[in-house]
Amino acid sequence: MSSADKKVAVVSGGAGGIGAAVVSRLAQADFIPIILDKDEAAGREVLAELGRQEGRGLCIALDATKKSDVQRAFDRVLADYRRVDVLVNLAGGALYAKLIQDFALREWREIIDVNLKSTFLCCQAVFPIMKAQRQGAIINTASNYAVTGSASRTAYSAAKAGIIAFTKSLAAELAPYGVRANVIAPGRTATPRVMGNYDAAGWAAASSQIPMGRTAEPAEIAEGVAFLAGDESLYMTGQTLHVNGGMVMP
Amino acid sequence: MNRLDGRVAIITGAGQGIGKAIALGMAREGAAVVIAEINGGNAQEVQSELQESGQRALAVPTDVSREESVLAMVERCLKEFGRIDILVNNAGIYPVSPVEEMAEEEWNRVIGTNLIGTFLCSKAVVPRLLEQRWGRIINMTSGRAFQGAKDGAHYAASKAGIIGFTKALALELALCGVTVNAICPGVTDTAQPRGHRTEEELYGMAARIPLGRIGQVDDLVGPAIFLASDAAGFVTGQTVLVNGGAIMW
Ligand SMILES: NC(=O)c1ccc[n+]([C@@H]2O[C@H](COP(=O)([O-])OP(=O)(O)OC[C@H]3O[C@@H](n4cnc5c(N)ncnc54)[C@H](O)[C@@H]3O)[C@@H](O)[C@H]2O)c1
Ligand SMILES: NC(=O)c1ccc[n+]([C@@H]2O[C@H](COP(=O)([O-])OP(=O)(O)OC[C@H]3O[C@@H](n4cnc5c(N)ncnc54)[C@H](O)[C@@H]3O)[C@@H](O)[C@H]2O)c1
């Protein structure tokens, strides 16, 4: 089969902990994975581990908070593959844990930008592509903190709640073209970045707060993403799927 | 490789509509299915349809609102298939009357079928699920739980109750490998909405649904299989809305 027959999935933040699992899961579902990430080396590593052939996967380095970078990336994808069937926005993170009086505006804005603005920019860039195809699925990433909030995470909670409301609005705009937009909301997930914030005892304590008694594996988040990306969820749009072991039940 | 190979699934109200579609879908994925349905004739037909295509199926005439009927159904299932892995609490009724005129009997019937039926079937299978430390319970709620229902206060209450019940049971079973989730269909093309809407009203609703159409029973099958599969092992206490964007939660 030539690559022109295959579906294309773009994963922003695809070089990260959850990203790598999502890229691998979508490749398994026969999508050509395209990673957009500021960490190009890590992105190439993810593709190498999949054993991707030349032309059957791509990593594009970018700052997803910069409109010109994002536009250039989607122009490249369109030139090389002519379509985008799935967009998963994972670039993001809490970045700082600080009480509000210690938060510099620059830091606060950085969190809003890397989570919320990057999501907006990638969705905006993919909109005309999916609209023309009259087909596509977008999955944006929130967090249980979007619902509960969290002391020392004011910006992150606001950004992730913003992503949910943004996605509902976008879903309504895209629905006439048969394009869907949903949210995946991971609970605490065992990625190197997140585990790095805890010592062993702290991680065990954090895990025991979760009703299922453990944290999520990145592969479990990837299963939720694959469900929202595939035809099984064809009648779902504007929804949020929480994969969190019962930590939050909105 | 099928996602539900070796599993045994009980689907209540599977004689027609959404429940039947889920039963056929789960059978396609390899599960043996029990059609626990009050309408014995319909249950029998679904069983025949499945068996003719080589699938394992058992029709058990059941009234989910009566404990002895539920216990007998679970016994039959165990005798026939030896285990239970998945329960879909789908049986439901939706008569209409304003609260002012609502007969206590009708209130009892709606709460008894939709909410107490969900409790009774869950209670009857939980010991098995705990024993094997693997299980899936999927409960059918409704958009009426979120938005209320004119002339359907009992239905709205029962469906909101199901969401609360889902969360509580999810917490009780969280450490035991058993997940409990709800599916919330939008208006779906079955007999049920025809009990309180004309054909014209039913299809006219498409204009108010972002994806531009009302639901078909097959729209619910993928989400039910996802929640029943290993893939959703860390999803519990959640409500998955499958409604074309009619309500975004
Ligand atoms: N891990 C968790 O516990 C958890 C829980 C809830 C939500 N999330 C969310 O899931 C997503 C992925 O999280 P993760 O744990 O895999 O984090 P991660 O840090 O491992 O991955 C994030 C990826 O995004 C990339 N990235 C960051 N800023 C970027 C930018 N400006 N431009 C392009 N790429 C950029 C990083 O290089 C990295 O590869 C994030 O949105 C995070 O908020 C994670
Ligand atoms: N169709 C919709 O628009 C819609 C929307 C939201 C939620 N739902 C819910 O989805 C579920 C399935 O609905 P449907 O549309 O397929 O309805 P339906 O009326 O076509 O099917 C319901 C089935 O449940 C059976 N049943 C009723 N009482 C029973 C009892 N006491 N014991 C055992 N079986 C019993 C009926 O005989 C019937 O076969 C219901 O819980 C309903 O409330 C439906």
Side-chain angles (χ1 to χ4, degrees), chain B:
Chain B
M1 197 199 62
N2 297 311
R3 284 170 296 173
L4 303 180
D5 273 341
R7 302 281 181 211
V8 174
I10 296 174
I11 299 114
T12 69
Q16 63 182 43
I18 295 169
K20 177 179 175 181
I22 290 174
L24 299 187
M26 289 191 168
R28 251 193 328 273
E29 285 293 333
V33 299
V34 174
I35 303 127
E37 162 65 59
I38 199 164
N39 182 327
N42 281 352
Q44 194 57 47
E45 273 178 38
V46 176
Q47 175 188 302
S48 306
E49 190 176 331
L50 281 164
Q51 287 176 340
E52 275 157 29
S53 52
Q55 278 142 346
R56 295 192 300 157
L58 176 69
V60 185
T62 309
D63 179 349
V64 297
S65 68
R66 288 179 38 237
E67 186 163 31
E68 63 279 13
S69 175
V70 168
L71 293 174
M73 178 270 293
V74 168
E75 274 314 301
R76 278 289 309 280
C77 170
L78 287 172
K79 208 163 148 230
E80 182 81 10
F81 297 127
R83 56 186 293 141
I84 297 167
D85 303 282
I86 298 159
L87 168 67
V88 184
N89 284 306
N90 166 82
I93 55 172
Y94 188 168
V96 285
S97 42
V99 169
E100 197 184 352
E101 295 161 18
M102 193 175 281
E104 187 187 353
E105 180 279 330
E106 185 174 286
W107 170 272
N108 286 342
R109 206 152 46 81
V110 173
I111 299 294
T113 304
N114 300 0
L115 182 56
I116 297 181
T118 297
F119 156 69
L120 288 174
C121 293
S122 303
K123 183 179 173 187
V125 303
V126 157
R128 292 290 160 166
L129 306 184
L130 288 179
E131 231 171 74
Q132 59 198 35
R133 297 190 77 78
W134 196 99
R136 299 282 188 265
I137 297 176
I138 300 166
N139 301 323
M140 285 293 158
T141 178
S142 159
R144 301 308 99 215
F146 297 86
Q147 296 187 322
K150 191 168 154 290
D151 300 343
H154 40 18
Y155 182 79
S158 73
K159 292 298 187 178
I162 285 174
I163 295 178
F165 175 73
T166 298
K167 295 177 184 182
L169 189 60
L171 290 173
E172 284 187 24
L173 303 178
L175 289 171
C176 310
V178 180
T179 68
V180 188
N181 292 289
I183 292 180
C184 178
V187 179
T188 306
D189 191 352
T190 69
Q192 190 186 81
R194 291 181 164 84
H196 50 98
R197 289 182 209 282
T198 65
E199 250 1 64
E200 209 179 349
E201 281 169 357
L202 181 58
Y203 283 93
M205 295 189 74
R208 279 182 278 140
I209 298 171
L211 285 180
R213 61 175 180 89
I214 65 167
Q216 296 297 327
V217 292
D218 284 339
D219 291 320
L220 285 320
V221 175
I225 291 173
F226 169 68
L227 291 174
S229 72
D230 282 322
F234 207 57
V235 181
T236 197
Q238 306 304 327
T239 301
V240 176
L241 287 85
V242 186
N243 58 23
I247 302 172
M248 297 177 184
W249 190 241

Side-chain angles (χ1 to χ4, degrees), chain A residues 12-19 36-39 62-65 89-94 114-115 141-144 156 160 185-194:
Chain A
S12 108
I18 295 175
L36 312 185
D37 205 292
K38 67 175 186 197
D39 190 342
L62 88 171
D63 178 347
T65 67
N89 286 306
L90 281 160
V114 72
N115 290 284
T141 309
S143 154
N144 50 300
Y156 185 66
K160 292 304 195 184
R188 202 171 284 132
T189 306
T191 63
R193 174 181 64 81
V194 168

